[in-house]
Amino acid sequence: AQSVTQPDIHITVSEGASLELRCNYSYGATPYLFWYVQSPGQGLQLLLKYFSGDTLVQGIKGFEAEFKRSQSSFNLRKPSVHWSDAAEYFCAVGSTSNTGKLIFGQGTTLQVKP
Amino acid sequence: GAGVSQSPSNKVTEKGKDVELRCDPISGHTALYWYRQSLGQGLEFLIYFQGNSAPDKSGLPSDRFSAERTGGSVSTLTIQRTQQEDSAVYLCASSLDDIGGETQYFGPGTRLLVL
């Protein structure tokens, strides 16, 4: 069965520091992979997605992610974190049944220290 | 343009009552998804619609949950005889179609509290 694991429930970084959020997936074929961000009281906003081609994907707000098939990973990175990046981040994989439904990881809460 | 809207924003109900949650997708989006976000369970898929049909209802947790979509647009998620474990945020998303990889746009959610 498909699954997504985000090993870090909570991460704290200092403003201006670099960030990497981990995501590992279980999937039988080339997956569709997504990163969403959820600010308090808000819905989910898509940061970036991967489904083919270049394994380094650029997204909004200065985020990027790299698909590594050998490691079954799709980690999210940002070179310099801003206080406004504090939010919950979700990694998701598209379903094998091709319905478009998403299977989400448990989420990582990012706290940014001044 | 308008995004996905959901109503009500918040709903408090008593155990045993029925509730209806509404989702207005982005105009022209044929696929509509319902997810539930709760503590300890994360984000779970409930059901999805392609047009007015629901090809995948596999995530509905019990027969107390049902959903419909009319006119290929608005969708209603109904929970009958609510239980405390139904307390969660119910999120709706829409996409242009149900092809894998298509971006889903999420609404702000309905926060349901069952007392």
Side-chain angles (χ1 to χ4, degrees):
Chain A
Q2 296 160 268
S3 65
V4 177
T5 302
Q6 294 180 246
D8 305 306
I9 295 173
H10 191 107
I11 282 185
T12 301
V13 300
S14 298
E15 189 167 18
S18 63
L19 171 70
E20 182 169 29
L21 302 182
R22 296 184 291 164
C23 173
N24 294 97
Y25 64 89
S26 172
Y27 193 89
T30 300
Y32 303 120
L33 293 162
F34 304 80
W35 274 100
Y36 280 87
V37 62
Q38 185 178 36
S39 299
Q42 304 295 312
L44 278 72
Q45 181 183 22
L46 179 71
L47 287 174
L48 47 79
K49 65 180 181 182
Y50 169 83
F51 46 92
S52 67
D54 194 345
T55 57
L56 184 62
V57 181
Q58 301 297 320
I60 62 171
K61 303 185 180 187
F63 286 92
E64 67 178 25
E66 186 171 13
F67 170 61
K68 292 186 177 179
R69 184 188 302 276
S70 61
Q71 298 177 22
S72 297
S73 69
F74 188 57
N75 295 349
L76 183 71
R77 301 193 294 247
K78 186 170 185 178
S80 177
V81 168
H82 188 262
W83 64 266
S84 60
D85 294 324
E88 190 161 18
Y89 292 79
F90 292 92
C91 181
V93 64
S95 165
T96 53
S97 62
N98 203 33
T99 62
K101 77 180 185 185
L102 298 176
I103 297 165
F104 286 89
Q106 291 290 84
T108 298
T109 300
L110 173 65
Q111 183 179 359
V112 180
K113 293 191 300 185
Chain B
V4 177
S5 61
Q6 294 185 244
S7 60
S9 302
N10 293 279
K11 177 71 176 180
V12 180
T13 190
E14 295 178 348
K15 178 181 172 182
K17 300 282 191 184
D18 298 351
V19 295
E20 284 189 352
L21 313 180
R22 176 187 169 106
C23 173
D24 278 278
I26 293 172
S27 178
H29 281 194
T30 63
L32 186 149
Y33 301 82
W34 284 99
Y35 295 88
R36 181 170 70 173
Q37 185 174 23
S38 55
L39 287 175
Q41 297 297 320
L43 268 159
E44 307 170 281
F45 166 79
L46 296 178
I47 184 172
Y48 106 94
F49 291 88
Q50 176 58 30
N52 292 335
S53 301
D56 189 348
K57 308 178 184 180
S58 62
L60 294 178
S62 76
D63 59 7
R64 297 185 295 104
F65 287 71
S66 63
E68 65 175 10
R69 188 180 186 194
T70 55
S73 182
V74 172
S75 176
T76 302
L77 178 68
T78 301
I79 310 173
Q80 296 179 308
R81 305 181 302 282
T82 52
Q83 303 295 311
Q84 288 181 331
E85 61 262 29
D86 300 333
S87 296
V89 177
Y90 290 82
L91 293 168
C92 175
S94 70
S95 62
L96 275 174
D97 55 43
D98 60 353
I99 295 175
E102 193 65 55
T103 297
Q104 294 182 25
Y105 296 86
F106 282 79
T110 293
R111 185 175 300 274
L112 175 66
L113 178 61
V114 182
L115 300 176

